Amino acid sequence: MKVGKGLPIILLVGLYIACELVANVTASKAVAVGSIVVPAAVFIYALTFTMIDLINERMGKKGARQVVYTAFAANLLLAGYCQFAISLPPAPFYEGQDAFAGVLGSTPRIVVASLTAYIVASLIDIEVFAWWRQKVGRYRWARVLASNTISTLVDSIIFISIAFWGIFPLIPLIQGQYIIKMSVTVTSIPLIYLVRGKALKIESAELAERQY
């Protein structure tokens, strides 16, 4: 792989995995968006569904799956190491143990809910996007919107159901998360044309260089 051609997709994959990890770290804070209460992570997490569509566009279905599995492994490592760090005895002068555990320590139920929702919804997103590209072909914005419409709904249902079954009413929580995720999806659609345009410029420059 040439550096010029590989750099945009490498950067995109790196940002995608980084966004997944940032989402897990920031998920413990609940924020109010009008009357809707959601985790602070929902904004950057929702963006990852558009990002995996961009990766699917460039690397194909198989490549996108590999990226999802890699991000899943990174999330497992993050969750495991955070628990390990929390369990270590703090230094005598360290006074932030409770705050550290409060931010980075998630209950096993939340961890299972998050990872299950992520892997199922992301793989569904990849399949829907690939199907639309093969069967319909045109309108990149439409296949991103179609795949995200389904995958973010699945993600919201799985996460909320596993995490809060028997604790809170599920339907309002699912509705709130879904509204925010789809709002992020709609506003992120121009991103697919921006990334595509940058990639084409790099490839055109490489072609001109080879011809020269």
Side-chain angles (χ1 to χ4, degrees), residues 93-114:
F93 60 83
Y94 183 68
E95 299 179 354
Q97 177 67 12
D98 291 340
F100 183 85
V103 172
L104 297 179
S106 298
T107 64
R109 184 172 179 177
I110 296 296
V111 172
V112 170
S114 176

Side-chain angles (χ1 to χ4, degrees), residues 28-198:
S28 60
K29 180 178 180 179
V31 298
V33 182
S35 61
I36 301 173
V37 176
V38 292
V42 72
F43 306 102
I44 197 167
Y45 180 65
L47 182 61
T48 64
F49 287 94
T50 299
M51 295 176 72
I52 198 61
D53 290 338
L54 289 169
I55 293 169
N56 197 340
E57 184 83 27
R58 300 291 292 166
M59 298 178 62
K61 185 165 68 172
K62 182 178 180 180
R65 282 180 186 155
Q66 291 173 342
V67 172
V68 166
Y69 295 145
T70 302
F72 183 81
N75 279 321
L76 279 178
L77 176 61
L78 174 66
Y81 196 81
C82 284
Q83 293 302 315
F84 171 71
I86 291 169
S87 68
L88 293 174
F93 60 83
Y94 183 68
E95 299 179 354
Q97 177 67 12
D98 291 340
F100 183 85
V103 172
L104 297 179
S106 298
T107 64
R109 184 172 179 177
I110 296 296
V111 172
V112 170
S114 176
L115 292 176
T116 303
Y118 165 70
I119 194 70
V120 173
S122 296
L123 293 177
I124 288 175
D125 185 280
I126 291 169
E127 292 296 329
V128 174
F129 184 90
W131 177 88
W132 187 284
R133 182 173 57 185
Q134 181 180 5
K135 299 297 184 180
V136 180
R138 297 178 298 170
Y139 310 122
R140 290 189 185 89
W141 63 267
R143 55 180 177 252
V144 170
L145 191 60
S147 61
N148 288 16
T149 297
I150 296 171
S151 59
T152 56
L153 178 60
V154 170
D155 181 85
S156 300
I157 291 172
I158 293 176
F159 175 75
I160 296 298
S161 298
I162 296 176
F164 301 117
W165 182 278
I167 302 175
F168 299 114
L170 300 184
I171 299 301
L173 292 176
I174 292 171
Q175 288 176 336
Q177 287 227 357
Y178 188 57
I179 289 171
I180 298 299
K181 288 173 183 174
M182 286 307 300
S183 298
V184 173
T185 289
V186 171
T187 56
S188 69
I189 283 178
L191 182 64
I192 65 176
Y193 295 98
L194 176 64
V195 172
R196 177 63 175 169
K198 292 290 185 182

